[in-house]
Amino acid sequence: MSLLEAQREQTRARYPDSEGYVARDGVRVFYEVYGDGEPTVFLLPTWSIIHSRHWKMQIPYLARHFRVLTFDGRGNGKADRPSGIGAYTEYEFAADSLAVMDATGTKTAVVVGLSCGTLWGTLLAANHPDRVLGGVFIGPAVPLAPGHPERYVHSFDDRLDTDDGWAKYNRHYWLEHYVEFLEYFFGKIFSEPHSTKQIEDCVGWGLEIATETLIDAHEALELCGLEQFRDVCDRVRCPVLVIHGDEDALHPLARGAALAEATGGRFVTLEGSGHCPHVRDPVKVNLLIRDFVESLGRSAA
Amino acid sequence: MSIAAEPTREQTRARYPDEQGYVERDGVRVFWERYGEGPTAVLLFPTSPISHSRLWKAQIPYLARRHRVLTFDPRGNGRSDRPADGAAYGYWEYVEDGRAVLAAAGVDRAILVGLCDGGGWALMLASRYPETALGVVALAPCLPYLTPPHPNYTRFPFAEPLDTDEGWAKYNLHYWRRDFRSFLEFFFSQQIPEPHSTKQIEDCVDWGLETDPETLALADEEAPLPWGSTAEAEALCKAVSCPVLVVHGELDACQTRERAEAVAALTGGTLVGLEGAGHLPQARHPVKVNLLIRDFVESLERRTP
């Protein structure tokens, strides 16, 4: 697939009611607003390997019930691609998220994050409790429990003499075989049968970021330490729902369970699901999100 | 009503039948289902016993919201019997099974919908029993002799041992006996060429495995053909007096566009071509096909107040 093809956007089930750019320190991110219900559900970006279209199965459904806000995080989609590790830390993503809320007049929202999106979602909740009504975290990439051992066999930086399996998660392999890496990576993410379309979508979005930029974004997230993240979790006061597929090949179930425990949240395991259940089992996840959001309204009333 | 043993590993369904039963003709039992209560009956014909009535699973729940939907498993697959005699699989037998199902469900007139062989059976029923057919929707219709068959079926002899298993050489009795599953996988990957069809192919392979090579060979290759000439096939089409909608996917590897055009022309019907679609548009493009069927049914309902 050529880059050009990847950039030709597919038709959408629903188009945004408004959209725009927000700049911070000269870096622009691109936001979209759908619907006008209450409250706002804020679908956060994740690692810049994909952009906001990964929420395409949530947006049309949730926008029938709530106001939906999403944005392309720095590094992909219609957002800018600053260079350097420092541009891609969880603090930058959290600050972008807050800036998007401000720019769209969003006083409060339920934040929904996938994988790394959990890092900035929890930061927002911890540092701006008056702005975050609740948090939904899917397949959280958090350091609260050990990762899958097979992901830590090979060095990211060293040139390897193998490209078997997770050895593809390697700077040199990315620079030389980026498409093959994307196909492998998203093949691991979508462990469910009949996921060819979801894999194709994600590979296409992955081609919208330059490999060097993705390396920056990867290295930035490696900086997130356990101690600082525990402190963030301790300060989260809002209701939390953690959703985790029991076949998640990127982040083990124990990480989701530990996040739920650390934030006093509810933990829902999805049997047979991989790392992106919102993409592959959208009905289940949409109903979980909707029920969670509606439960917040009830407890407030 | 007697209910046979449940099929071995049926998936859950979006909608379950409101009524089910068997009709029996000459000792052969055929299993049917009814969904919904609407005033207009829609009979979804099965096709060759390489498949069965679950072929319509993406149509049934939608159409049954407004219509009375009838399906049946073809003799040779699903919960229907598997007679051991080729004569029991003649085209007219399936047509008469369809009529028996209508009678059992208390339906006098119906819109007849069929795919491939089933499209042919729907047209045959409408031709011989015009009082029963309100209209016909024929997807990728098969009527022998109407036009030359798709070249895929004439590449290799069916009954002779071959020295190759490549491609359409798998459409061969000896290969079926050796490796029926691989044949089914090949066959349905040809019939469902659209990208992202692994689920539809898997379903079809599973349904195919509910029958066996000997039964399928009897039904598809040894059963008597209903006529022996193009003129007879054309006469049959011309005798269809009800409205006809023909749907054909441009990537169909089983039935030619030429055949679909001939059916539409001879019946005075409308032909809708589906870009990028294969032989099973109802499985792979269900919304398009459902809306086509719905619009057709509604246009007929407006005609008959």
Side-chain angles (χ1 to χ4, degrees):
Chain A
M1 188 189 313
S2 72
L3 191 60
L4 197 69
E5 258 180 290
Q7 285 171 341
R8 195 182 308 138
E9 192 186 280
Q10 302 166 25
T11 56
R12 302 186 180 196
R14 177 161 179 160
Y15 286 84
D17 298 309
S18 63
E19 58 185 42
Y21 289 92
V22 180
R24 262 192 341 101
D25 300 333
V27 176
R28 296 189 318 164
V29 297
F30 179 78
Y31 69 80
E32 296 174 337
V33 184
Y34 300 78
D36 54 8
E38 276 290 325
T40 295
V41 176
F42 190 8
L43 304 175
L44 299 172
T46 182
W47 186 32
S48 311
I49 195 166
I50 52 179
H51 55 61
S52 61
R53 291 311 295 153
H54 81 89
W55 297 115
K56 71 180 188 179
M57 300 302 271
Q58 280 64 56
I59 290 167
Y61 177 77
L62 294 174
R64 284 190 219 155
H65 304 279
F66 314 112
R67 175 172 175 266
V68 174
L69 176 62
T70 189
F71 75 102
D72 288 341
R74 40 182 65 209
N76 206 328
K78 297 189 199 174
D80 285 348
R81 284 135 173 85
S83 59
I85 296 172
Y88 295 95
T89 65
E90 66 266 36
Y91 304 102
E92 296 299 333
F93 280 95
D96 286 346
S97 303
L98 199 65
V100 165
M101 288 181 74
D102 291 341
T104 54
T106 309
K107 286 192 179 128
T108 61
V110 178
V111 298
V112 182
L114 163 73
S115 191
C116 301
T118 304
L119 299 176
W120 29 102
T122 47
L123 258 184
L124 268 185
N127 295 343
H128 303 277
D130 53 322
R131 308 290 297 271
V132 178
L133 302 169
V136 180
F137 302 115
I138 303 169
V142 295
L144 296 173
H148 290 299
E150 62 270 25
R151 291 200 59 191
Y152 299 91
V153 172
H154 300 287
S155 155
F156 179 74
D157 290 315
D158 297 342
R159 190 170 275 284
L160 304 175
D161 55 7
T162 172
D163 57 11
D164 272 359
W166 281 108
K168 293 183 176 64
Y169 202 97
N170 174 273
R171 168 197 302 274
H172 304 283
Y173 190 80
W174 290 9
L175 289 167
E176 290 154 23
H177 304 279
Y178 186 52
V179 175
E180 290 91 331
F181 159 69
L182 291 174
E183 286 168 350
Y184 173 78
F185 184 71
F186 289 111
K188 297 300 277 188
I189 283 183
F190 295 105
S191 48
E192 301 92 338
H194 313 305
S195 298
T196 56
K197 171 62 173 156
Q198 290 78 6
I199 293 170
E200 185 180 284
D201 277 354
C202 284
V203 169
W205 301 328
L207 290 171
E208 294 185 43
I209 181 172
T211 313
E212 293 76 5
T213 311
L214 190 68
I215 291 172
D216 284 342
H218 161 77
E219 295 189 319
L221 298 179
E222 290 294 291
L223 301 175
C224 175
L226 179 57
E227 285 313 307
Q228 74 204 49
F229 187 68
R230 275 206 188 287
D231 168 64
V232 170
C233 290
D234 286 345
R235 292 187 288 113
V236 171
R237 292 284 173 272
C238 64
V240 166
L241 169 67
V242 178
I243 301 170
H244 209 134
D246 70 353
E247 295 190 4
D248 188 329
L250 262 67
H251 296 280
L253 210 53
R255 290 192 158 170
L259 177 68
E261 198 185 340
T263 57
R266 183 173 160 235
F267 185 52
V268 172
T269 306
L270 296 183
E271 208 177 312
S273 285
H275 186 54
C276 291
H278 65 302
V279 177
R280 197 55 191 77
D281 294 287
V283 175
K284 266 188 210 166
V285 172
N286 289 352
L287 293 174
L288 283 168
I289 294 174
R290 182 183 165 187
D291 287 350
F292 176 78
V293 174
E294 288 181 346
S295 75
L296 301 177
R298 279 196 297 277
S299 56
Chain B
M1 187 188 313
S2 74
I3 303 299
E6 292 293 316
T8 39
R9 53 217 144 101
E10 191 185 282
Q11 304 167 23
T12 55
R13 301 186 182 193
R15 174 157 183 165
Y16 285 84
D18 299 306
E19 186 184 357
Q20 56 187 10
Y22 285 92
V23 291
E24 187 170 329
R25 295 181 43 257
D26 300 331
V28 177
R29 296 196 321 159
V30 163
F31 179 76
W32 62 274
E33 295 176 333
R34 174 181 64 81
Y35 301 77
E37 309 285 345
T40 304
V42 178
L43 173 62
L44 303 175
F45 266 93
T47 185
S48 144
I50 199 168
S51 185
H52 58 58
S53 59
R54 295 308 294 153
L55 189 68
W56 298 110
K57 71 179 195 179
Q59 282 64 54
I60 292 165
Y62 177 75
L63 295 175
R65 287 189 208 156
R66 291 202 54 242
H67 310 301
R68 178 175 304 239
V69 175
L70 297 167
T71 65
F72 65 100
D73 286 339
R75 35 181 73 207
N77 204 334
R79 296 200 223 176
S80 294
D81 284 350
R82 287 135 175 79
D85 169 18
Y89 296 96
Y91 275 56
W92 286 110
E93 298 299 335
Y94 292 97
V95 174
E96 293 300 335
D97 286 345
R99 286 185 72 226
V101 166
L102 291 175
V107 170
D108 296 329
R109 309 184 75 194
I111 290 163
L112 311 171
V113 181
L115 167 78
C116 192
D117 290 324
W121 302 333
L123 291 161
M124 289 163 71
L125 198 158
S127 176
R128 183 175 279 183
Y129 305 101
E131 69 285 2
T132 304
L134 287 166
V136 170
V137 180
L139 310 172
C142 172
L143 281 175
Y145 292 107
L146 182 63
T147 58
H150 196 289
N152 285 336
Y153 295 100
T154 54
R155 291 175 205 271
F156 297 95
F158 176 71
E160 293 166 28
L162 302 174
D163 55 7
T164 173
D165 287 343
E166 283 303 306
W168 281 92
K170 292 184 171 66
Y171 199 92
N172 176 276
L173 179 59
H174 304 277
Y175 187 77
W176 291 9
R177 286 173 177 159
R178 277 204 303 284
D179 194 348
F180 193 47
R181 173 183 281 278
S182 293
F183 156 69
L184 292 168
E185 286 170 354
F186 165 77
F187 182 78
F188 285 111
S189 66
Q190 297 291 306
Q191 303 307 346
I192 315 178
E194 295 91 339
H196 313 306
S197 298
T198 56
K199 172 61 174 158
Q200 289 77 6
I201 293 170
E202 184 180 283
D203 278 353
C204 285
V205 169
D206 281 351
W207 299 329
L209 289 171
E210 292 184 44
T211 189
D212 60 88
E214 306 307 326
T215 301
L216 192 61
L218 281 180
D220 280 6
E221 298 295 329
E222 292 180 35
L225 291 173
W227 48 77
S229 71
T230 300
E232 288 167 277
E234 289 177 348
L236 181 123
C237 288
K238 286 180 190 161
V240 174
S241 54
C242 65
V244 173
L245 171 67
V246 182
V247 179
H248 186 260
E250 66 168 355
L251 303 177
D252 194 323
C254 183
Q255 299 299 324
T256 61
R257 166 94 182 185
E258 181 193 5
R259 189 169 275 184
E261 284 172 353
V263 170
L266 293 163
T267 60
T270 306
L271 173 64
V272 173
L274 296 182
E275 205 178 315
H279 184 53
L280 301 175
Q282 93 296 345
R284 200 53 193 78
H285 307 274
V287 174
K288 261 188 211 165
V289 170
N290 290 352
L291 293 176
L292 283 169
I293 296 174
R294 182 194 73 178
D295 290 350
F296 182 76
V297 173
E298 288 182 353
S299 74
L300 297 184
E301 283 175 333
R302 281 195 297 275
R303 257 187 228 196
T304 48

